Each structure stands twice: as structure tokens, then as C-alpha cells.
Amino acid sequence: MTEELFRQDGYLSEFEAQIVEVKGDWIKLDGTAFYPGGGGQVCDTGNIGGFKVTEVKYEGEDIVHKVPGNEFKVGDRLWCGVDWDRRYDLMKGHTAEHILFNSLHRQDPDLEIVKIYISPESKYVIIDRDMPLEKIADAVRFANKVVSDNLPVTKSVMSKDDPEISTVRIKLERIEGNEVTVVDIGDVDRAACSGVHVMETSEIGTIFVSRKVSAGKDGFAVHFEIGDNGKTEAMDLAYRCMQIIDDLGSKPEDVIKTVANMKHELEESRRQLKSAVAASLRSLEPEVVNGTPVYSAVVPTSDKTPVMDLCEKRKAEGGVCAFVCKSQTLMVMIASGNRSVDCKRILADTMAEFGGRGGGKPDFAQGGAPDADKADELLSAMVARIRQSL
Ligand SMILES: [Zn+2]
């Protein structure tokens, strides 16, 4: 069994060890300060005897190190160095995760943790339910109070049968054996964990939640940054928000209300536009070509439903429709209740002319074209082809 030096001293980064097994790139030492990862935290990297360590993992009760290209032999004694900046960031991130989850849990006692991920590039917890941003902000304020209070982080071993175990955040079914390593953060948090932690909370510097995103069926991922990265991220985000506030002509204290009003106005305008479009479509007069009514128009909408409905109705009456819905791009629809008009072919010819794409059947076809300024031109070309067919 490899002696796990990181359990005795989480701050040990340089050590001497003896090689006890070499299997190609993978080597085993008599003792190691390389943390093999666990609890969502990625493993350490560094060097052994001047060769890079790219991966560390458990193999049964032993720990193996991947050292590509090594030329070691069993019995070699070597100096080993953990990449300390990287490892210290992971330790701080991991301890911050304990504090952050505790803080979120105070906002919602039913909250459960689904997954933890701590790497140099990305740190997040997945929680099983959504939480409004105001509550997350309160949790982050509390977490930073825990950091600035500089609470001690201590480790103890408890028996699974100890009545005190009820005070520990733990998934008992996941614990093998009878003993549980318990990590206390002052009197704020107590969790079962066998990972590596910092000794005092102030080492973390800052905890900043930088985003909350859906994690699908798992719930929501709460991404966070620590230390200087947390401060930088917070400032960058603050200045982006200030840019938006400036663009809106609002004030920082009013911006949430301003955006809510804008959303409301936008919804109202969309509703009005939709009913105006429906009214204009209802009163649309056809051009009659050899006895067949041909309805055509450029419609200023991104909602094609009322246009589709009209196409269906006029087609059933034996008419022909050609519509171009204009928003950022163009959506084109052609429907025909007259066998002389082949919608699929007319659409294909028109799309080829205007650089668009689409498809369909002889009685209905639809497509899209990129250039919104060409709406009238495109409609005229399509109607000309319909006239020729009739
Ligand atoms: Zn932990």
C-alpha cells in the first residue's frame, strides 16, 4: 500500500521516494505526495526525477504515476515535486466548494449536491434544483464572510456508529469500512471528505459565482472562481453590466426594472404586430390569373403560423399563395390548390436565383433566404413563375 503523504501534510510538495514498481510509463513509489484525485477534484501533476508526471490514480490500495518516457528501475531513490501552484489552486477550490455548498444549502435546506468538479480550468457544483440569483447572491455573501473570518479547517476521524455522525454532511451508503474522515470548517460546516484542504479559510481569498447554467436532468451547474481569478471575473462581469446599463440609458439601481419594462413592451409590440399581420392577411385581395386567385405579400413577421394557416385555407379553396415572411432573414412559403402550379419546382428555381434553400411537395414548399433586403424582388420572381404556370 502506497504511503499517502498528502494525508499527513497537505502542503508537502517536494519529497524523496523510492521506486517500488515500474510498468512501462506507470510507476509506483513507496510513498507519495501526489494526490490521485477524488471527490470531483482532478489529480496532481508535477515531476519525478526530472520527468513529467501527467496522471496519477489509484490502483487498488496503491497509487500509480504516469511518467511518459521514464527510464527508472525498481530501487531508484528520486526527488519528486508536485506542481504546487496548480495543486494549491485545487485545494483552495475544493475547500471553497465545501463553503459554497454549505452557503447554498442555508438558502434552501432541501438542496442536494449531484456532482462536484474541481480543475484548474473549471470549478463547479451541480445542485439538484434551480435557485434564484438573489438567493445565490446571499449565499455568496455568506461564503465570503466565512472566508474573511479566517476559520480553521480541521480533520478528524469518526466511527460510522458514532451518534455525532448525524451532525455530518455525509452519504453514508458511499462510505466503505467503519471509519469516516470528517472535515470541519470552524463551526460553520462539517462534511465527510477524504480530499485535500487548506488549513484556514482566508487562504481562499474570494469566492465568486460566475455563472449558473442548466445541467439537463441533473439540475443546475453553479460555476465559481476563487482568489484573484474570482476578483477579476467579478470586475469583468461588473463592467460588462455597466456597459449594458449605459447602452440602455438606465442607472445601476434601476436596470432590472428597465429591462423588465423593455421585455414587457417588446411582448406587447409582438402581440400587436401579430394581430395586425393576421388582419392584413384576412383582407388580402387576390390577383386572378386565368380564373385562379393568387394571393401574395411580403409579411413583416418572424412568426409564420398565421401565414401557414392562410396558405392551408386558400389552397383548400383552389387558390395559390406566395408569401415572404421578413425578419432578420426571409422565410418563403408557396402553396397551391391548382395542379398547374408546382410549388416544389418554383421554390427551387427561386431559391437558386436568390441564394436560399428549401424544399417541399408540389402543393406546398417552403424555404429561407439570407438577404432580407431582397424580399420584394424575391416575391415578384416567385409570382412571375406562378403566372407563367397558370
Ligand atoms: Zn473536501
Side-chain angles (χ1 to χ4, degrees):
M1 184 180 170
T2 312
E3 191 182 359
E4 300 184 347
L5 304 173
F6 52 83
R7 299 221 182 277
Q8 297 145 29
D9 180 2
Y11 292 76
L12 181 68
S13 63
E14 293 194 329
F15 60 103
E16 198 185 4
Q18 191 163 11
I19 305 266
V20 296
E21 191 183 286
V22 180
K23 272 191 201 165
D25 284 350
W26 291 93
I27 67 146
K28 216 176 264 184
L29 302 168
D30 56 351
T32 187
F34 283 89
Y35 182 60
Q41 181 177 329
V42 298
C43 70
D44 286 342
T45 58
N47 78 85
I48 293 177
F51 286 85
K52 273 190 176 161
V53 177
T54 57
E55 199 184 335
V56 185
K57 63 179 183 184
Y58 273 109
E59 192 184 270
E61 289 195 322
D62 290 325
I63 292 170
V64 289
H65 311 71
K66 189 176 186 182
V67 190
N70 79 79
E71 293 157 5
F72 304 145
K73 301 183 303 294
V74 170
D76 287 352
R77 284 199 74 80
L78 300 162
W79 270 105
C80 312
V82 174
D83 179 343
W84 178 247
D85 288 345
R86 185 178 176 281
R87 158 66 172 284
Y88 193 40
D89 173 67
L90 296 174
M91 268 161 74
K92 288 188 282 189
H94 176 86
T95 313
E97 173 272 313
H98 282 240
I99 298 170
L100 180 61
F101 181 69
N102 177 291
S103 308
L104 293 169
H105 194 257
R106 282 167 193 264
Q107 298 294 323
D108 182 351
D110 294 329
L111 194 72
E112 299 261 6
I113 203 157
V114 179
K115 192 186 167 192
I116 300 163
Y117 185 70
I118 309 290
S119 79
E121 299 78 27
S122 173
K123 298 174 177 61
Y124 60 80
V125 286
I126 295 182
I127 51 176
D128 68 338
R129 65 201 68 196
D130 197 5
M131 183 178 280
L133 279 173
E134 314 89 81
K135 285 196 170 190
I136 290 181
D138 283 344
V140 170
R141 277 181 207 109
F142 180 83
N144 281 289
K145 176 81 168 58
V146 173
V147 169
S148 61
D149 282 351
N150 198 21
L151 303 180
V153 182
T154 53
K155 206 161 73 170
S156 57
V157 174
M158 202 181 267
S159 157
K160 235 172 151 176
D161 309 322
D162 192 321
E164 281 274 293
I165 202 88
S166 62
T167 63
V168 182
R169 185 149 52 79
I170 189 171
K171 287 191 170 142
L172 273 173
E173 70 280 6
R174 291 200 189 162
I175 306 291
E176 291 171 19
N178 190 42
E179 287 192 331
V180 181
T181 306
V182 173
V183 176
D184 282 285
I185 299 179
D187 56 3
V188 169
D189 186 54
R190 169 172 266 201
C193 185
S194 58
V196 280
H197 309 87
V198 294
M199 290 174 77
E200 292 172 328
T201 57
S202 66
E203 291 173 68
I204 297 164
T206 311
I207 300 175
F208 175 64
V209 167
S210 51
R211 63 176 59 192
K212 179 191 75 171
V213 288
S214 168
K217 62 177 172 40
D218 286 342
F220 288 83
V222 178
H223 291 254
F224 64 98
E225 302 279 349
I226 55 162
D228 286 345
N229 283 345
K231 283 182 202 161
T232 308
E233 191 81 9
M235 277 191 268
D236 286 352
L237 189 59
Y239 282 110
R240 281 203 293 280
C241 290
M242 281 167 71
Q243 182 66 57
I244 293 167
I245 292 163
D246 201 44
D247 289 348
L248 293 175
S250 183
K251 294 176 189 163
E253 61 273 26
D254 297 337
V255 69
I256 291 175
K257 207 172 165 196
T258 306
V259 171
N261 287 343
M262 285 177 72
K263 274 174 82 177
H264 178 75
E265 276 171 30
L266 183 64
E267 277 160 23
E268 184 61 21
S269 316
R270 278 191 181 141
R271 202 184 56 72
Q272 285 175 6
L273 180 63
K274 195 173 171 178
S275 61
V277 164
S280 74
L281 286 173
R282 273 196 302 276
S283 60
L284 191 67
E285 289 293 332
E287 171 195 1
V288 179
V289 183
N290 290 328
T292 301
V294 177
Y295 299 85
S296 71
V298 171
V299 190
T301 179
S302 58
D303 176 12
K304 62 182 182 180
T305 329
V307 186
M308 290 276 262
D309 292 347
L310 187 75
C311 283
E312 284 301 319
K313 193 169 171 226
R314 298 301 183 218
K315 187 175 90 179
E317 293 164 2
V320 177
C321 294
F323 290 114
V324 176
C325 298
K326 181 179 174 180
S327 55
Q328 307 273 37
T329 58
L330 300 177
M331 287 189 294
V332 182
M333 267 173 267
I334 170 166
S336 172
N338 182 319
R339 283 174 186 273
S340 315
V341 176
D342 181 346
C343 299
K344 190 180 175 184
R345 191 181 51 76
I346 291 177
L347 183 86
D349 292 349
T350 313
M351 288 293 111
E353 190 183 340
F354 288 87
R357 292 201 302 191
K361 294 176 181 170
D363 67 340
F364 180 79
Q366 58 180 330
D371 191 349
D373 293 337
K374 296 263 170 72
D376 294 311
E377 226 177 295
L378 194 153
L379 183 69
S380 302
M382 201 154 55
V383 171
R385 288 191 170 99
I386 291 168
R387 281 196 204 105
Q388 276 171 19
S389 303
L390 291 167

